[in-house]
Structure formats: C-alpha cells, structure tokens
Amino acid sequence: MLETAQLFLSAIDNYPISAKIKLKLNSGDRALFVLHDQLNLDTFPKQLLAQKPLIIFVESLKYATVIPHHKQKLVYILSAQRHFAIACHQQGFPILNLFTQGFHADAIDDLLAEYPNLDITYMQPSEWDTRSQFEDLANKYGQRVQKVANSFFIADPEKYKSKIKKGYRLETFYRELRKQTGYLMEGDKPIGGSWNYDKENRKSLPKKIIIPEIPEIAIDEITQEVIDLVKNYLPDAFGNLEKFSYAVTRPQALDLAKLFMQSRLANFGAYEDAIKTGEPFLFHAVLSVYLNNGLLMPQEICEMAIAAYEDENNLVPLNSVEGFVRQILGWREYIHIYYEAQMPAAREQNYFGFTNNLPELYWNANTDLACMKDAVTNVLNYGYSHHIQRLMVLSNFSNLTNTDPRQLNRWFWLAYIDACEWVELPNVLGMSTFADGGILASKPYVSGGNYINKMSDCCAKCKYDVKEKVGDQACPFNYLYWHFVDQHRDSFAENGRVSLMVNTYNQKTDEDKQAIRDSAIKFIASL
C-alpha cells in the first residue's frame, strides 16, 4: 500500500509550486486518478475502492487558461475538487493533490516517471482533449495505466452512436430511454397517455407571480482561498467574481435539489421558456453544474422529480415533471451520445459558412438591445443564463448576424459554469446554430422580435420598437430574421417546418425587401 501522501496543497503563498513529497511504494500498487468532473466515488469500481488506494487529484493551470474560463467556473471546479478530496480523506483514503502548469495528464506522466512501481487507474474522461491525452499516456506506459468506463450517464453510447444521423430525433431516443428506465411509465405506456407535454410548457410569466429565491451558499475557508487564488493568479479570466454562491459539496447540492423539487418544480414546466429581466433563474433547477461534475447523478435527480409528482402533498403537475425528466433523461443523454458519435469533426461544423466575428457585446453586455443586455449580464455575473436565453436570444442573435458558430461555441464553453465541451458543443453547433446541417435539430433556431416579446418583458424596456420592422428604431431581430430567411432560402425551402417563411418573404414588396436588406447590412456592420 502507499503509505505516505499529502492531503491538500492549500497555502496560497506556495501556489503554484507543487509539493515535494516521497511516496513509499510496493510493486504493483495501483492508485486512482479522479478528474475534476468525476467527483463521485460510487461510480468507480468497488473492488478497487475496497483496497483504499491512493486517490490522486490534479490542479491544471493549462486547463484553466487554454481558454479564459469564467472566474466563477474556475472557482467552482477547484473548490468542488478540493472539498471532494477532503471528503475522500475523511473516508480513509490517502490523498495526493498535485499542481501542474501543464494538463492533467502531464502531472500523471511526471508521477509515473518518478515512481516506476506506481500503476494508475483512471475513468474515461468526458471531454475529447483530456481523453486523448490519457490515451497517449496509456500507450506510453502500457498496463501501468488502465481505464475504466465512464459511469456518469444513463445511456450506453455504444448502443446508440450509430443512430446519430439525420432523421434520428430526440423524441425517438427519449421514448426508448423512458421504456428502459421505467420513468413515468405504466407498463409500456407513458403516464397520462402522452410522451411529451411540451405544448403546455410555453407560457409567458404572469406579472404578479412569486419567484422563490435560491439560497446563497456560505463561503468557507476553502472556497475563499480559491476565490483569492483566481483573483490573484487569473485576473484576466472572463466574467465577474463579486459574489459566488454555488454549492461545492454533495450535501449542499442535494439540499438545493430537494429545495427545487419543493419550491420551483411545480412551475418549472409552464414557465420554462419565459424570460424576465433581472431574474436569471426563475423556476429553473440550476442543477446542471452539479450533474456535470458528479455531485449529483442523473438517475437520482429524475427519481426525486418523479417522487415529487407522486407525492399527494406536493402538487407537482405532470407537464412539469415530464418536462424536467425530458431535459435530463432525454436531452442530456442524447447530446452526450451525439458528442461521442460526431467528435472530433463536430468542432469545425459551419453549415451556413458564416465568417463574422463574435460581436463584442458578448464580452461586456454593452448593447441597447434589452434582451441581449440582460442575457449577457447574467452570464457575466453568474456564469449562467437559463436555456431559452441561450437558445432564442444569444444563439438566435449569433445566427442572425452571420457570426461564425465556432466562435460562439468557444464563448459558450468558456462563459458558462456548467459548460463541459461534451454538453455545450452539441447544444451550440448542433442545436442552436444548425451548424451541423440538421443532424441534431430539424430546423435553424431563429426568430424575430415577436417571439422574444411574447415570452419576456424585455421589449417593454428596450430602446428599439418591436412593432417596427425596418429602420434605426426597429427591433433588429425583426429585419435580421427576414434577411436571414432571404439569405438562406434554399435551406428554408427544403425544410417542411420552416418553408412557409420563404413564401411569406416572397410576398413582400420589392421596397420592403430592400429596406430589410439595408437595415440588416447596416446593423451587422455596426457590430
């Protein structure tokens, strides 16, 4: 057994100097490497854990800086990992916490080279680059480096990867998973008689509805140390760090999940597509960040929601619980399989051939467009905005301004606290920008200002007039939308879901068409 290890590299004064330690080894000792998004020992082989192996954690400066990740994201990743390391130590595991100026695999490489008796087991990383780096490590060290399958998802990618092609949609996959898990099923039939209650989940927010607050999480010494570290060593990272209020331990995350089930799940479904300025969370769960690093598991969250629906005292309607379960069991699992099937070529998809740079307003929220200002401000302050702002505001605007979707994809990856590449890339390049040409989504997600006006209070607070169609005072989404339809009429015309828009555009007068083009070109140039 490994007899000596360092629990924690904590002193900021020593950062970023890695601790100098000596491990006492017997031949064949096998340690377990745990990545920052695998913080749940229940997913690792019980036979290995029974031996109480050394558990190795790595703090990677290269991973933190290869793109300028949001400050809150950096704090979350490192604080959650450090808290988890301490929890493992309290369970009797020896812990080694390493720092490297390289990637995670670089630190493990150095360790294996220094200790030839040491063997390592690691779990398959979810993100492509980290996975490739560990595959190189396994090739270099042979049997000394062994991999176990990733156990943080419900669906087996190998069973579904070959199905990811045009025509295989979420709904088909979702029904298969419902039958497999038995979630919200009565025999082989869905509870309530319908598989999907999405049509009931598109209501705008009533003016007087009470929105429950998400309680702030107290910052302990460990998190404060990480906050100071990020401020001192990574001051140029994206976003604000005035207030950090995310859970960093499993008990904290479980408390937030239970509170969501009690106070917000009932209204989640009806108002999941609503937007209210100054309210970044509304009735959304805000649990994805914890699902994406293992503090919460997808099965338990689905089952908590179903239990809330079955609780006669909770009064959670079926449309809300089904919509919530569909987000996790359906969409989250579906895009994970899409990522496994489409990488690495998926990174370069650009179906429309857009070349414009990402507008500067995504970095500073400096815009007169109220909906964009609110969405970007939420991202700057929290590393978060809910899904309809991601899809129908931020991604919609990117499409309508002919922004290179790969630049938008990079921004989402660095800007959102819940953004791992496996989850954000399919959402951005597959779903919201149609950059894959229709493999994941059946249509481009674009709209004019009327949709935003219907689902939000933004237009009433905006400099631009949503009722105006062209000109300097008009809502830019209006003329940008019709300009997009005209530019990409072939894609629209061959798509049954949106071909009507081409016919509508064709019926406009030549004067109206010219005004649309002039307004769109002028606005895009101003960005």
Side-chain angles (χ1 to χ4, degrees), residues 48-96:
L48 175 61
L49 296 179
Q51 303 171 20
K52 294 294 181 182
L54 173 70
I55 300 180
I56 301 171
F57 298 92
V58 174
E59 299 177 5
S60 165
L61 183 62
K62 193 71 173 289
Y63 184 86
T65 57
V66 68
I67 58 175
H69 290 288
H70 200 295
K71 292 184 178 74
Q72 302 234 5
K73 184 179 183 180
L74 295 172
V75 170
Y76 176 72
I77 288 174
L78 190 52
S79 180
Q81 179 171 296
R82 289 186 173 189
H83 279 89
F84 184 71
I86 291 175
C88 291
H89 178 70
Q90 292 171 342
Q91 294 178 48
F93 291 92
I95 302 299
L96 175 61

Side-chain angles (χ1 to χ4, degrees), residues 101-391:
Q101 296 194 30
F103 288 111
H104 300 88
D106 295 324
I108 302 302
D109 191 359
D110 291 342
L111 195 65
L112 289 168
E114 184 172 356
Y115 296 96
N117 287 338
L118 178 65
D119 297 340
I120 297 285
T121 294
Y122 74 97
M123 180 175 284
Q124 173 86 310
S126 297
E127 292 186 305
W128 190 264
D129 286 345
T130 305
R131 180 183 305 179
S132 299
Q133 291 156 12
F134 272 86
E135 287 174 353
D136 290 342
L137 203 63
N139 290 333
K140 179 177 180 179
Y141 288 99
Q143 291 301 311
R144 291 183 62 197
V145 176
Q146 294 185 4
K147 176 180 68 178
V148 297
N150 191 301
S151 302
F152 284 86
F153 299 91
I154 297 171
D156 180 3
E158 297 305 317
K159 180 179 177 180
Y160 292 97
K161 281 196 307 184
S162 62
K163 298 182 180 183
I164 300 297
K165 60 188 71 172
K166 284 188 179 182
Y168 184 71
R169 299 301 179 201
L170 166 67
E171 189 65 25
T172 302
F173 172 80
Y174 173 54
R175 294 185 185 190
E176 291 185 44
L177 265 289
R178 286 273 295 274
K179 293 175 182 177
Q180 174 185 315
T181 59
Y183 291 163
L184 295 175
M185 298 292 292
E186 291 178 326
D188 60 352
K189 302 293 183 182
I191 288 177
S194 296
W195 292 98
N196 186 318
Y197 292 88
D198 199 39
K199 291 182 180 180
E200 298 180 27
N201 294 354
R202 301 170 183 172
K203 295 180 180 179
S204 55
L205 201 68
K207 290 184 178 180
K208 295 184 178 180
I209 194 168
I210 297 174
I211 302 168
E213 292 187 2
I214 299 176
E216 294 187 8
I217 303 296
I219 295 175
D220 63 12
E221 293 180 1
I222 298 170
T223 299
Q224 186 59 56
E225 178 181 77
V226 175
I227 290 172
D228 294 340
L229 186 154
V230 170
K231 286 181 176 179
N232 291 335
Y233 288 93
L234 300 168
D236 297 326
F238 178 72
N240 301 323
L241 192 50
E242 300 308 315
K243 182 171 69 173
F244 179 86
S245 191
Y246 288 99
V248 290
T249 68
R250 176 166 167 78
Q252 291 173 346
L254 278 171
D255 286 344
L256 291 179
K258 293 171 185 175
L259 183 62
F260 166 72
M261 305 301 168
Q262 296 166 0
S263 65
R264 301 199 308 285
L265 176 58
N267 282 322
F268 165 77
Y271 307 119
E272 66 175 302
D273 284 1
I275 299 171
K276 182 177 175 62
T277 53
E279 292 285 352
F281 308 120
L282 295 178
F283 294 98
H284 292 267
V286 199
L287 298 177
S288 54
V289 61
Y290 313 123
L291 285 168
N292 291 352
N293 76 340
L295 295 188
L296 298 176
M297 295 298 288
Q299 297 92 331
E300 69 180 338
I301 297 304
C302 288
E303 289 163 12
M304 287 173 68
I306 294 168
Y309 167 69
E310 294 173 345
D311 184 348
E312 295 179 356
N313 298 318
N314 226 8
L315 301 178
V316 175
L318 182 56
N319 66 298
S320 279
V321 70
E322 185 279 318
F324 180 74
V325 168
R326 179 159 27 94
Q327 293 296 320
I328 299 174
L329 181 67
W331 190 247
R332 185 176 186 271
E333 294 292 323
Y334 181 68
I335 61 171
H336 173 241
I337 291 168
Y338 174 97
Y339 181 79
E340 295 294 326
Q342 297 294 311
M343 284 295 286
R347 285 174 169 170
E348 296 304 317
Q349 294 171 129
N350 187 2
Y351 174 74
F352 293 116
F354 292 153
T355 58
N356 287 345
N357 290 327
L358 187 73
E360 187 177 350
L361 66 89
Y362 283 81
W363 301 100
N364 54 26
N366 186 15
T367 175
D368 291 323
L369 274 164
C371 59
M372 287 293 292
K373 189 177 191 69
D374 183 62
V376 177
T377 298
N378 290 339
V379 177
L380 286 168
N381 289 336
Y382 302 100
Y384 177 89
S385 66
H386 62 72
H387 78 266
I388 208 65
Q389 287 185 308
R390 303 187 197 202
L391 179 64

